Amino acid sequence: MSDEKSSKEDSINIRIGQKVKAEREKRGWSLTDLADNSGVSRAMIHKIERGESSPTATLLARLAGSFDMSMSQLIALSEVQTGTLIRQAQQPVWQDPETGYIRRHVSPGQIPVDLVSVDLPAGVSVPMPAISYLSRRQLIWVLEGTLSFQEGDHTFEMQPGDCLELGDPSDCIFSNTTTQLCRYAVVVLKNA
């Protein structure tokens, strides 16, 4: 079972790398252009594109933001799903190799909303750069546990049921300072 999970994670990392490369080439960008736009080094982008490195959440957010898409859109495009029903077993899942943060793309189809479920392990913080929020509106809805969300200079201590609309793009940090899992949903309104 462990080998199957590892193989599945390797497979999604390869597909994410292929999608990053396809998006870069679609724009006619060199590795240097993407590095300049995202703040991710050329060497790291090259490793990600070749499937030789599992990107962290922060790196994926930077790359997706430079393509004017959310991280969930980039991951979802790597796991093409069509139709109106996407069963849990079919939902694209990605795990940050650095923090253990798990991101599940829940919403199917082509509607202009992405719905993502995130499991944030105890004692973990995940920074997200402002570039990942440009040109899009988002809600964060805490489903389980406690989320400490820092948006620029503001920190919001969120409990189950609390929902926050993100303001103007700024650097953010998602933190779980407790000893229990935090699960929250992110709702992203896609660009039209």
Side-chain angles (χ1 to χ4, degrees):
M1 188 76 165
S2 173
D3 288 342
E4 181 181 322
K5 182 180 178 187
S6 177
S7 174
K8 191 172 183 179
E9 286 173 8
D10 290 345
S11 177
I12 193 167
N13 286 328
I14 289 168
R15 288 192 304 277
I16 287 170
Q18 291 168 342
K19 187 60 188 170
V20 168
K21 183 176 183 178
E23 289 295 323
R24 176 179 61 79
E25 290 176 345
K26 183 167 86 173
R27 289 161 175 77
W29 291 355
S30 67
L31 284 171
T32 301
D33 294 332
L34 180 53
D36 290 345
N37 287 325
S38 67
V40 177
S41 75
R42 282 187 47 167
M44 180 53 73
I45 294 168
H46 184 68
K47 286 180 180 179
I48 291 168
E49 286 186 354
R50 293 175 54 93
E52 296 171 355
S53 179
S54 181
T56 65
T58 302
L59 291 182
L60 267 184
R62 288 184 180 284
L63 292 169
S66 69
F67 297 139
D68 196 29
M69 51 175 68
S70 68
M71 188 167 86
S72 60
Q73 285 174 287
L74 182 63
I75 292 171
L77 289 172
S78 303
E79 292 275 331
V80 177
Q81 299 288 334
T82 58
T84 57
L85 174 65
I86 182 170
R87 301 214 184 266
Q88 184 177 18
Q90 299 168 317
Q91 295 165 355
V93 176
W94 176 81
Q95 184 168 14
D96 183 348
E98 188 173 80
T99 64
Y101 155 107
I102 298 174
R103 186 175 187 89
R104 174 183 296 277
H105 192 96
V106 177
S107 54
Q110 300 299 313
I111 65 170
V113 171
D114 279 327
L115 179 58
V116 175
S117 172
V118 176
D119 286 357
L120 188 61
V124 167
S125 291
V126 178
M128 291 288 173
I131 191 173
S132 61
Y133 300 104
L134 296 176
S135 306
R136 63 188 58 86
R137 301 192 52 166
Q138 295 191 49
L139 298 173
I140 300 168
W141 180 27
V142 177
L143 304 172
E144 176 182 334
T146 301
L147 177 67
S148 179
F149 179 73
Q150 183 180 341
E151 180 182 35
D153 295 333
H154 298 90
T155 300
F156 302 91
E157 299 298 332
M158 300 175 65
Q159 301 297 319
D162 292 350
C163 188
L164 174 69
E165 179 181 0
L166 271 60
D168 293 333
S170 60
D171 291 339
C172 298
I173 301 173
F174 293 80
S175 297
N176 179 356
T177 59
T178 73
T179 59
Q180 303 296 316
L181 173 79
C182 175
R183 179 171 289 132
Y184 59 93
V186 178
V187 181
V188 181
L189 182 61
K190 295 182 199 175
N191 295 334

